[in-house]
Amino acid sequence: METAEHATLDLLPIKSREVYENSYTRFMTWRNNNKANSFSENVIIAYLADLATKIKPSTLWSHYSMLKATLNVKHGVDIRKYPKLVPYLKNKSHGYQPKKSKTLTMEQVQSFLTEAPDFKYLMTKVCLIFGVAGALRRDELSQMKTSDITDLEGALLVKVPNTKTKKPRSFTITGEQYLNFYRKYASLRPADMNTNRFFIKYQNGKCHRQVVGIHKLTSTAQEVATYLGLPDLKLYTGHCLRRTSATLLMNAGADISALKRHGGWQSTSIAESYIAESVTHMMKTSDQILNNDLPSQQDFNLEPQPSTSRAAESNVVSALSNHPVQVNNCTNCTVNITFNLNTS
């Protein structure tokens, strides 16, 4: 029983297991204080209703998700089967607009790279380049190792082995300006470092034998915004570099597949949200609706042309025999081919 109990705990996410356990403990304490002796639907809804008075709807969904996992692992209770629970959460979220991290424009990125002095901001510049080029999360930046980066002379090949979705991905960094910032920062690395973490402390033109923590890297976008004098500094969060990368890619005309592959997203809805926010994509859609010169119907000859002779019929059959029609790699497609060999 002890072995089975220990094994089932592995069903919880390793990185955030402590957060899941805290959420479960909070629920069990509330349950005891309110003398609720079951895990019924009414008990769960009452608990979430109490939380809803203290937290945002988006956070309420997070507590539901953690509670769903922990109750299933520890008590075999599947709250997904409760029919009123999800509609209740959706109703609480109605009209709620979460604040999203602001993004940087390419002009702002270039302005910081060219104007900010390397003596103070070299590490910030390298972090900015990597974060925007690879749509990196803050923990992916923090855990990046020197062995994950390969200098190919004309480009950098960067591997991201530990991702949130547990699917490794890679990206490249090209451009002499960006490569020079990386090489300058890497050349200042002390030779006797006892860690292979890439981002180490940089101060007054020198690198020190101390790794940079996740909170320092999280403040990269805010540091850039502060230097450029941008408003609403608190909205330049640790997610800014990842959102900036996605927005720049969509403005360049990429599709959903390219975006999901670039950022390692599995959810199409997340990718579609970036498309919805892309001004370039909205302008392109407007041009397709309002300013596109569509050919008139008379430009299309939709009526089949009958064969005029037995010789023409013979030629059609011969052509199809020598060049059969092939349709490959298609899904959810219907192809209708009609042969009208009636020459009467």
Side-chain angles (χ1 to χ4, degrees):
M1 292 297 295
E2 291 178 357
T3 302
E5 183 178 354
H6 181 74
T8 54
L9 290 177
D10 291 336
L11 297 176
L12 299 176
I14 297 177
K15 288 185 177 181
S16 51
R17 183 174 297 171
E18 184 178 353
V19 180
Y20 276 66
E21 291 287 356
N22 290 338
S23 178
Y24 169 77
T25 302
R26 188 182 299 110
F27 167 71
M28 295 300 290
T29 302
W30 177 92
R31 184 170 167 264
N32 291 333
N33 292 339
N34 289 274
K35 299 180 180 180
N37 298 321
S38 71
F39 300 104
S40 68
E41 183 176 31
N42 287 336
V43 170
I44 303 298
I45 290 179
Y47 171 68
L48 294 177
D50 187 32
L51 282 181
T53 62
K54 309 169 187 175
I55 59 178
K56 299 180 293 185
S58 56
T59 310
L60 191 64
W61 277 101
S62 299
H63 280 279
Y64 160 75
S65 179
M66 291 186 287
L67 199 60
K68 175 179 64 177
T70 51
L71 289 182
N72 188 30
V73 168
K74 296 177 179 291
H75 301 280
V77 177
D78 188 1
I79 64 176
R80 293 177 301 176
K81 297 179 180 179
Y82 295 159
K84 294 183 288 187
L85 194 51
V86 171
Y88 167 77
L89 292 171
K90 289 182 177 180
N91 184 60
K92 297 297 294 184
S93 301
H94 182 70
Y96 172 72
Q97 294 293 333
K99 289 185 178 180
K100 295 184 178 181
S101 173
K102 282 200 167 187
T103 60
L104 298 168
T105 65
M106 198 62 213
E107 290 75 15
Q108 291 168 341
V109 172
Q110 284 295 337
S111 178
F112 178 78
L113 293 178
T114 55
E115 297 174 9
D118 289 357
F119 185 77
K120 182 178 181 181
Y121 294 104
L122 180 60
M123 191 203 74
T124 304
K125 291 182 179 182
V126 176
C127 184
L128 174 64
I129 293 169
F130 274 69
V132 172
L136 297 179
R137 301 176 177 90
R138 60 178 191 168
D139 58 326
E140 293 169 350
L141 279 168
S142 175
Q143 296 300 322
M144 183 166 292
K145 300 177 176 58
T146 56
S147 57
D148 296 330
I149 307 170
T150 304
D151 194 335
L152 303 176
E153 295 187 1
L156 295 179
L157 175 61
V158 184
K159 297 180 180 179
V160 190
N162 299 318
T163 66
K164 183 178 179 180
T165 57
K166 298 181 176 57
K167 290 185 177 180
R169 69 180 194 276
S170 302
F171 64 94
T172 59
I173 298 176
T174 57
E176 196 64 27
Q177 177 193 25
Y178 309 124
L179 298 181
N180 288 338
F181 284 125
Y182 160 77
R183 288 165 181 164
K184 183 177 180 179
Y185 177 69
S187 67
L188 298 174
R189 186 181 184 88
D192 55 346
M193 285 291 296
N194 58 0
T195 177
N196 61 351
R197 289 262 293 274
F198 174 65
F199 285 105
I200 58 176
K201 182 180 179 180
Y202 176 82
Q203 189 175 23
N204 298 330
K206 295 182 180 180
C207 283
H208 300 267
R209 296 175 183 84
Q210 180 180 344
V211 297
V212 179
I214 190 171
H215 297 295
K216 172 63 177 176
L217 294 174
T218 299
S219 66
T220 297
Q222 193 171 100
E223 193 173 358
V224 174
T226 301
Y227 178 85
L228 297 176
L230 302 179
D232 301 322
L233 294 178
K234 291 184 179 180
L235 294 181
Y236 290 90
T237 66
H239 202 57
C240 172
L241 303 186
R242 184 165 168 82
R243 292 196 69 239
T244 296
S245 180
T247 302
L248 292 176
L249 182 61
M250 293 312 305
N251 286 340
D255 58 13
I256 294 180
S257 299
L259 179 61
K260 291 174 67 175
R261 187 166 54 251
H262 172 65
W265 285 287
Q266 294 180 335
S267 171
T268 301
S269 62
I270 294 178
E272 288 176 341
S273 69
Y274 285 104
I275 293 179
E277 296 171 4
S278 171
V279 176
T280 301
H281 190 272
M282 288 188 287
M283 292 173 63
K284 182 178 179 181
T285 301
S286 176
D287 284 338
Q288 290 175 332
I289 297 173
L290 302 176
N291 303 318
N292 191 24
D293 295 329
L294 294 174
S296 60
Q297 186 173 354
Q298 63 184 8
D299 294 334
F300 295 95
N301 186 3
L302 302 178
E303 295 296 329
Q305 300 298 315
S307 302
T308 58
S309 64
R310 284 293 177 183
E313 175 184 337
S314 178
N315 290 337
V316 172
V317 175
S318 176
L320 290 173
S321 299
N322 295 329
H323 304 283
V325 178
Q326 295 183 353
V327 180
N328 298 321
N329 299 327
C330 292
T331 59
N332 298 327
C333 297
T334 301
V335 180
N336 295 321
I337 301 177
T338 303
F339 301 104
N340 184 4
L341 300 180
N342 184 8
T343 59
S344 58

